[in-house]
């Protein structure tokens, strides 16, 4: 989206108290970006802004979301169960991705705060 701050602010106001926004976007801190650098598959024309867990959390809280949580995202082949890595290699990769927040994608759930009573 061209103006994330403006659009996410508008979305936070449209959601009911306790409502959720789910976002899936490339992770600027991904292990794949670090390894492949300029050949990383996240560098596509449709990505105007790149986020990591810190920058996306900061933006979402600034525009009105009360909580922001992330779920780890692993390589597609691992998630589909058709990776060529051994079970030990997969386990190590998944542990690194979880501990360093460096999956190729960010899976985010941002919640609007509950209404005051």
């Amino acid at each position: 989206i061209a103006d994330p701050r403006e659009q996410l602010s508008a979305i936070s106001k449209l959601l009911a108290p306790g409502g959720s926004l789910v976002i899936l976007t490339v992770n600027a801190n991904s292990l794949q970006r670090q390894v492949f650098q300029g050949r990383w598959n996240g560098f596509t024309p449709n990505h105007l802004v790149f986020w990591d867990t810190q920058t996306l959390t900061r933006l979402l809280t600034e525009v009105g979301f009360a909580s922001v949580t992330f779920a780890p995202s692993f390589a597609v082949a691992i998630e589909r169960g058709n990776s060529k890595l051994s079970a030990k290699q997969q386990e190590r990769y998944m542990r690194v991705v979880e501990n360093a927040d460096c999956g190729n994608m960010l899976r985010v759930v941002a919640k609007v705060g509950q209404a005051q009573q």
Side-chain angles (χ1 to χ4, degrees), residues 13-112:
K13 292 175 179 108
L14 290 172
L15 290 169
S20 298
L21 170 67
V22 177
I23 299 172
L24 181 65
T25 189
V26 295
N27 182 1
N29 190 43
S30 82
L31 183 59
Q32 290 182 27
R33 187 198 57 78
Q34 295 171 45
V35 170
F36 295 115
Q37 297 178 359
R39 299 182 324 271
W40 178 50
N41 64 1
F43 291 128
T44 60
N46 61 321
H47 291 121
L48 304 176
V49 181
F50 293 89
W51 306 97
D52 61 27
T53 55
Q54 290 178 342
T55 57
L56 195 50
T57 298
R58 184 171 50 244
L59 174 64
L60 289 165
T61 55
E62 286 174 1
V63 300
F65 287 93
S67 69
V68 179
T69 56
F70 294 85
S73 173
F74 306 108
V76 172
I78 289 175
E79 292 190 353
R80 289 184 179 163
N82 59 0
S83 171
K84 294 180 181 171
L85 297 174
S86 70
K88 187 175 182 176
Q89 290 170 319
Q90 285 184 59
E91 182 181 308
R92 182 170 182 251
Y93 171 81
M94 292 169 73
R95 189 172 52 251
V96 167
V97 165
E98 281 188 273
N99 291 338
D101 291 326
C102 62
N104 203 42
M105 302 294 291
L106 292 174
R107 292 182 182 154
V108 189
V109 176
K111 288 191 173 277
V112 176

